[in-house]
C-alpha cells in the first residue's frame, strides 16, 4: 500500500478523498476472493514520483499568479483515471508532466491564456475533474516539443443564474457534480445527472465528453440537458442562444458537445434542471439468461415504460458484487428496475413495468430486507455503483487488469454484438493474460437499442500491464466496430479510442471537422492531435 515516502502520492492516481486510501487489511481480505476466480496474481511494481523537469514556460506577469509548477500538482494533471493512468501512477511512469498548471479565476483569464498560448506556441489541455478514462487529459505526445499547459477550471465553479420559470440553471464550467446539485437543493431542484464519476467530474467535462448519467431511460446523455453553451475558442467567444428547441440550421451546441477540449474551453452552460423526486420505488428480478433479460427490457421500453433505473447485469457480474441471490444459476441475469417522480407515487408505474417483464419471463426477487439487506433494491444497487471506483483501484493494486468498455447498438444487432465481443475479448485474455473473465450489463436503454457495458478482469503481468491492456483493448474495439456498435456510448473518444473513431466517422465529416478545427484554433493550441494520428498514449 502506498505508504513509502518515494511512492507516488494517492491524490495523484487515486480516486478517494483522504482517508479512503486502500489499506493493507482491505487488500488482504480481497486477495483470496480474486485468486479463487482469476488464479495467482502478482502485484504491480511501485515507483516514485518522477523528478519534475524544469518548466519550459513562464506566464506573462499579468497571468503569473494563476500558474503552478509544483511537481505533485503537475503529476496529478498528467493523469486521467483510466486503467492505463492508474498503472502509470502506481509505477511512477507518469511523465512527461505538463510544464504548468494554470487555474483561471475569471473567464477573461481563459481568453488571456489562449491568446498567450496562440502567440507563444504552447499547447493547452482543458482539465475539468480529470476523470477521463480514454486518455483525454494528460501528456500530448503530438506536442512533445512544445510547452504544455494544463488549464484546470476548478475555480470557475458555481451556480451563476437560475431561471425558475423555465426551470434551467447556468453553471460555470468547472462546477463539480455535488456542487451543482447542492446549489439547486434549496430551490427543490436537482441536476438529476449522476454519472458514476459525479463526485469528481465537472459540468464542462460532461459537455465536452457527451457524458451519460446513471438514469437508464429518458435524459440519458448530457446532450438532453444542454440548453446553451458558452465557450472561449482561440479566435473568439462561442455562445449559443438559450432555446427550448430550434430548427435554425445545425445546432451550435451539438458541435461543442463531444468536442473534448479541441475547439474551445467551455466556461459555462445553461442546463435544464428537474424537480427533486419525492417518491421512489424499485424491484429486482431474475431473468433466465442475459439475452432473455435484454429481450424483456426491449419490450419494456418499446411499450413506452421508461423506468429511471433499468440495469440488466449478467449473472457472473452480479455474483461478483454479491447481488445474485444464493442458488441462482450463473447463466441467469439480474434486472433492477426503479421508478421515481416529483409529482406523485410511482407504485403504479413500477407495477406496470414489473408485470411486463414478468410476462417476458423474469421472476421477481423478494425484498432484500427479508434477508437483513437493504430494503430497497435500487438503493443497494446505487451503493455498489458509488463504491465501484474505490474497488477498482484495490483490484489494480492486487495485480488485476481491470478494463471497462461500453458501446451502443440497435436491438437487431445486440445478440450478435454481445456474443462476438465477449468471445473476441475472452480469446484475447486467454492469449495475452492466460485467462480472465468478461462480464456485461446494460447501462442505458432506448426504444431502438441499448448500451452494453463490458467489464474485463484478468491477471496482469507486472511491468507489462500497459502492453497487455493495449492488445486487449484493440481486440475488443475491433470486435465492437465489426458488430456494428459505436466505439463509445459515453466514455468519449480521447486518445484511446481515436483509431476506431476514425474508422467509424464518415470521411467527408472528418474533413469538415478538420476544417472547423483549423478555423477555430489556427495555431493548434487546444488538445493538439487528440483524435489525429497517434491513438493510445
Ligand atoms: C470511476 C469512473 C466512472 C465514470 N463513470 C462515467 C459515467 O457514468 N458516465 C460517463 O459519461 N462517464 C463516466 N466516466 C468518464 C468521465 O468521468 C467523463 O468522461 C466525464 O464527463 C469527464 O469529466 P471531467 O470533468 O472529469 O473531464 P476531464 O476528464 O477533465 O476532461 C475530459 C475531456 O474533456 C475536456 N474538457 C474538460 N473540461 C472542459 C471544458 N470546460 N471545456 C472544454 N473541454 C473540457 C478535456 O480536455 C478532456 O479532453 C467515469 C470515469 C471514472 C474514472
Amino acid at each position: 500500500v502506498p505508504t513509502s515516502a518515494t511512492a507516488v502520492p494517492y491524490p495523484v492516481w487515486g480516486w478517494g478523498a483522504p482517508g479512503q486510501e486502500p489499506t493493507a487489511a482491505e487488500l488482504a481480505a480481497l486477495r483470496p476472493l480474486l485468486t479463487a476466480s482469476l488464479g495467482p496474481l502478482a502485484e504491480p511494481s511501485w515507483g516514485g514520483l518522477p523528478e519534475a523537469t524544469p518548466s519550459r514556460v513562464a506566464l506573462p506577469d499579468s497571468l503569473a499568479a494563476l500558474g503552478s509548477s509544483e511537481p505533485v500538482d503537475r503529476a496529478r494533471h498528467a493523469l486521467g483515471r483510466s486503467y492505463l493512468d492508474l498503472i502509470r501512477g502506481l509505477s511512477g511512469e507518469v511523465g512527461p508532466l505538463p510544464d504548468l498548471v494554470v487555474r483561471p479565476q475569471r473567464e477573461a483569464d481563459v481568453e488571456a491564456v489562449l491568446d498567450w498560448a496562440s502567440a507563444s506556441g504552447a499547447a493547452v489541455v482543458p482539465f475539468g475533474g480529470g476523470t477521463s478514462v480514454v486518455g483525454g487529459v494528460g501528456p500530448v505526445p503530438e506536442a512533445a516539443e512544445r510547452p504544455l499547459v494544463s488549464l484546470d477550471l476548478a475555480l470557475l465553479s458555481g451556480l451563476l443564474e437560475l431561471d425558475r420559470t423555465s426551470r434551467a440553471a447556468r453553471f460555470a464550467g468547472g462546477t463539480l457534480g455535488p456542487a451543482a446539485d447542492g446549489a439547486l437543493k434549496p430551490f427543490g431542484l436537482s441536476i438529476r445527472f449522476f454519472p458514476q464519476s459525479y463526485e469528481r467530474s465537472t459540468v464542462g467535462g460532461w459537455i465536452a465528453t457527451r457524458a451519460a448519467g446513471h438514469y437508464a431511460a429518458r435524459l440519458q446523455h448530457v446532450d438532453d440537458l444542454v440548453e446553451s453553451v458558452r465557450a472561449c475558442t482561440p479566435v473568439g467567444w462561442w455562445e449559443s442562444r438559450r432555446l427550448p428547441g430550434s430548427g435554425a440550421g445545425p445546432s451550435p451546441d451539438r458541435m461543442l458537445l463531444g468536442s473534448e477540449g479541441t475547439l474551445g474551453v467551455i466556461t459555462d452552460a445553461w442546463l435544464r434542471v428537474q424537480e427533486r423526486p419525492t417518491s421512489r420505488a424499485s424491484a429486482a428480478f431474475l431473468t433466465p439468461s442475459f439475452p432473455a433479460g435484454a429481450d424483456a427490457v426491449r419490450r419494456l421500453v418499446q411499450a413506452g415504460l421508461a423506468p429511471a433505473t433499468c440495469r440488466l447485469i449478467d449473472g457472473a457480474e452480479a455474483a461478483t458484487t454479491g447481488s445474485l441471490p444464493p442458488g441462482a444459476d450463473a447463466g441467469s441475469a439480474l434486472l433492477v428496475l426503479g421508478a421515481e417522480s416529483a409529482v406523485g407515487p410511482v407504485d403504479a408505474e413500477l407495477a406496470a413495468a414489473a408485470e411486463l417483464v414478468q410476462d417476458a419471463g423474469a421472476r421477481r426477487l423478494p425484498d432484500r430486507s427479508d434477508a437483513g439487506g437493504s430494503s430497497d433494491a435500487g438503493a443497494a444497487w446505487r451503493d455498489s455503483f458509488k463504491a465501484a471506483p474505490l474497488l477498482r483501484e484495490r483490484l489494480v493494486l492486487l495485480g488485476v487488469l481491470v478494463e471497462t468498455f461500453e458501446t451502443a447498438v440497435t436491438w437487431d444487432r445486440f445478440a450478435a454484438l454481445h456474443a462476438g465481443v465477449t468471445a473476441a475479448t475472452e480469446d484475447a485474455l486467454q492469449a495475452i493474460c492466460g485467462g480472465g473473465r468478461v462480464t456485461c450489463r446494460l447501462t442505458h436503454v432506448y426504444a431502438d437499442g441499448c448500451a452494453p457495458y463490458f467489464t474485463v478482469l484478468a491477471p496482469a503481468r507486472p511491468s507489462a500491464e500497459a502492453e497487455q491492456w493495449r492488445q486487449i483493448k484493440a481486440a475488443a474495439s475491433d470486435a465492437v466496430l465489426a458488430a456494428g456498435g459505436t466505439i463509445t456510448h459515453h466514455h468519449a473518444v480521447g486518445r484511446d479510442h481515436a483509431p476506431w473513431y476514425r474508422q467509424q466517422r464518415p470521411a467527408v465529416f472528418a474533413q469538415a471537422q478538420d476544417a472547423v478545427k483549423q478555423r477555430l484554433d489556427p495555431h493548434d493550441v487546444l488538445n493538439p492531435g487528440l483524435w489525429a494520428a497517434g491513438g493510445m498514449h
Side-chain angles (χ1 to χ4, degrees), residues 51-350:
E51 205 161 301
T53 46
S55 223
R56 291 171 294 177
V57 273
L59 291 168
D61 289 350
S62 54
L63 295 172
L66 310 180
S68 153
S69 55
E70 203 267 317
V72 170
D73 206 7
R74 287 167 64 192
R76 164 65 189 108
H77 289 78
L79 295 177
R81 285 292 178 263
S82 67
Y83 173 71
L84 206 51
D85 292 319
L86 273 175
I87 287 297
R88 288 169 54 219
L90 292 175
S91 63
E93 288 169 22
V94 177
L97 308 186
D99 294 274
L100 280 180
V101 178
V102 178
R103 293 185 172 82
Q105 295 174 350
R106 305 163 301 148
E107 62 173 38
D109 296 335
V110 175
E111 192 174 343
V113 171
L114 294 187
D115 284 350
W116 163 79
S118 294
S120 69
V124 174
V125 176
F127 189 98
T131 64
S132 169
V133 282
V134 293
V137 294
V140 177
E142 296 84 352
E145 303 309 315
R146 294 164 61 184
L148 180 69
V149 166
S150 179
L151 190 70
D152 185 329
L153 296 155
L155 302 181
L156 295 185
S157 168
L159 173 64
L160 305 176
E161 274 182 85
L162 178 63
D163 170 355
R164 297 191 70 175
T165 309
S166 317
R167 228 181 47 194
R170 183 162 78 96
F171 291 102
T175 313
L176 289 165
D181 201 53
L184 294 175
K185 201 170 179 181
F187 304 98
L189 297 170
S190 168
I191 195 155
R192 239 177 144 263
F193 186 74
F194 305 114
Q196 194 176 41
S197 56
Y198 162 78
E199 285 161 309
R200 310 241 173 283
S201 55
T202 62
V203 169
W206 298 339
I207 295 172
T209 58
R210 298 184 71 186
H214 77 50
Y215 291 111
R218 291 198 200 117
L219 310 181
Q220 290 102 333
H221 278 100
V222 74
D223 309 29
D224 304 319
L225 306 180
V226 168
E227 192 179 72
S228 79
V229 184
R230 180 167 161 79
C232 185
T233 79
V235 295
W237 285 93
W238 174 315
E239 181 172 5
S240 60
R241 190 172 278 226
R242 280 188 63 202
L243 292 168
S246 169
S251 158
D253 298 338
R254 287 268 161 196
M255 189 166 273
L256 287 176
L257 278 157
S259 58
E260 299 188 32
T262 59
L263 301 182
V265 179
I266 297 163
T267 54
D268 65 84
W270 279 93
L271 299 183
R272 303 180 178 106
V273 298
Q274 321 292 318
E275 304 290 333
R276 289 191 99 78
T278 47
S279 47
R280 283 201 174 98
S282 57
F285 304 82
L286 207 58
T287 68
S289 68
F290 190 64
D295 200 49
V297 165
R298 178 181 63 78
R299 290 199 223 170
L300 188 69
V301 279
Q302 290 182 345
L305 293 167
T309 302
C310 179
R311 291 261 162 166
L312 180 72
I313 305 161
D314 76 18
E317 190 167 318
T320 310
T321 57
S323 38
L324 198 68
D329 187 316
S332 59
L334 179 74
L335 174 61
V336 180
L337 296 181
E340 57 179 54
S341 165
V343 289
V346 287
D347 300 331
E349 183 187 340
L350 188 67

Side-chain angles (χ1 to χ4, degrees), residues 188-532:
L189 297 170
S190 168
I191 195 155
R192 239 177 144 263
F193 186 74
F194 305 114
Q196 194 176 41
S197 56
Y198 162 78
E199 285 161 309
R200 310 241 173 283
S201 55
T202 62
V203 169
W206 298 339
I207 295 172
T209 58
R210 298 184 71 186
H214 77 50
Y215 291 111
R218 291 198 200 117
L219 310 181
Q220 290 102 333
H221 278 100
V222 74
D223 309 29
D224 304 319
L225 306 180
V226 168
E227 192 179 72
S228 79
V229 184
R230 180 167 161 79
C232 185
T233 79
V235 295
W237 285 93
W238 174 315
E239 181 172 5
S240 60
R241 190 172 278 226
R242 280 188 63 202
L243 292 168
S246 169
S251 158
D253 298 338
R254 287 268 161 196
M255 189 166 273
L256 287 176
L257 278 157
S259 58
E260 299 188 32
T262 59
L263 301 182
V265 179
I266 297 163
T267 54
D268 65 84
W270 279 93
L271 299 183
R272 303 180 178 106
V273 298
Q274 321 292 318
E275 304 290 333
R276 289 191 99 78
T278 47
S279 47
R280 283 201 174 98
S282 57
F285 304 82
L286 207 58
T287 68
S289 68
F290 190 64
D295 200 49
V297 165
R298 178 181 63 78
R299 290 199 223 170
L300 188 69
V301 279
Q302 290 182 345
L305 293 167
T309 302
C310 179
R311 291 261 162 166
L312 180 72
I313 305 161
D314 76 18
E317 190 167 318
T320 310
T321 57
S323 38
L324 198 68
D329 187 316
S332 59
L334 179 74
L335 174 61
V336 180
L337 296 181
E340 57 179 54
S341 165
V343 289
V346 287
D347 300 331
E349 183 187 340
L350 188 67
E355 191 180 332
L356 197 147
V357 297
Q358 283 169 303
D359 283 352
R363 176 166 67 81
R364 187 158 183 166
L365 294 170
D367 189 320
R368 291 179 66 169
S369 56
D370 302 345
S374 166
S375 59
D376 172 353
W381 172 78
R382 274 195 302 278
D383 290 347
S384 75
F385 183 72
K386 277 167 72 176
L390 293 170
L391 178 62
R392 181 181 72 143
E393 65 195 21
R394 282 149 176 78
L395 300 189
V396 174
L397 281 167
L398 285 165
V400 182
L401 187 155
V402 187
E403 170 64 359
T404 57
F405 61 93
E406 32 73 71
T407 181
V409 69
T410 47
W411 286 118
D412 62 319
R413 295 176 176 198
F414 163 71
L417 179 138
H418 175 246
V421 171
T422 304
T425 313
E426 281 175 349
D427 286 352
L429 290 184
Q430 192 58 44
I432 296 155
C433 302
R437 46 190 287 198
V438 181
T439 57
C440 188
R441 62 187 122 129
L442 299 188
T443 56
H444 299 84
V445 290
Y446 303 88
D448 57 342
C450 61
Y453 183 107
F454 294 87
T455 299
V456 172
L457 301 180
R461 212 165 48 250
S463 305
E465 296 97 337
E467 191 46 41
Q468 288 183 306
W469 173 84
R470 279 191 187 92
Q471 292 179 27
I472 293 161
K473 183 81 181 163
S477 302
D478 286 347
V480 163
L481 283 206
T486 170
I487 191 58
T488 173
H489 171 264
H490 57 266
H491 280 168
V493 177
R495 293 200 147 70
D496 298 352
H497 288 148
W500 293 276
Y501 178 57
R502 289 199 300 274
Q503 293 174 45
Q504 180 176 332
R505 65 181 173 173
V508 172
F509 179 71
Q511 289 172 23
Q513 276 185 315
D514 289 348
V516 170
K517 169 76 175 165
Q518 276 165 25
R519 178 69 188 85
L520 293 182
D521 185 12
H523 301 284
D524 203 14
V525 165
L526 284 165
N527 259 345
L530 187 69
W531 299 329

